[in-house]
Amino acid sequence: RRLPVVMFKLNMAETLKAATTFIEQGHIRVGPEVITDPAFLVTRSMEDFITWTDTSAIRKQVMEYNDMV
């Protein structure tokens, strides 16, 4: 299972193309490392560790929307 597909299933992106763009631009990390390769394979145990990077503008927008700032 590739990373863009998992992001789409987790509702982190509206489309697969958007998920691929987020990954290529460096907005996604799996555990402590930033992933920039859309062909990155994700195991089921790694699914829980997919998050936005700390400096991501998208993460800031999501947090503002959820009133977590």
Side-chain angles (χ1 to χ4, degrees):
R1 297 150 31 119
R2 292 166 51 118
L3 184 55
V5 174
V6 176
M7 284 180 57
F8 178 71
K9 298 279 186 196
L10 293 174
N11 292 324
M12 291 179 74
E14 290 185 9
T15 62
L16 287 175
K17 185 168 174 60
T20 303
T21 305
F22 294 156
I23 295 165
E24 288 172 346
Q25 292 176 353
H27 289 286
I28 302 298
R29 67 184 170 128
V30 177
E33 63 183 89
V34 176
I35 305 297
T36 56
D37 181 22
F40 185 79
L41 293 177
V42 179
T43 61
R44 289 188 183 267
S45 60
M46 290 167 48
E47 269 186 36
D48 298 335
F49 301 104
I50 299 172
T51 56
W52 301 104
T53 57
D54 294 334
T55 58
S56 174
I58 299 167
R59 176 178 185 242
K60 292 174 187 169
Q61 289 292 326
V62 169
M63 290 183 74
E64 284 177 15
Y65 179 79
N66 291 333
D67 293 328
M68 298 174 87
V69 174

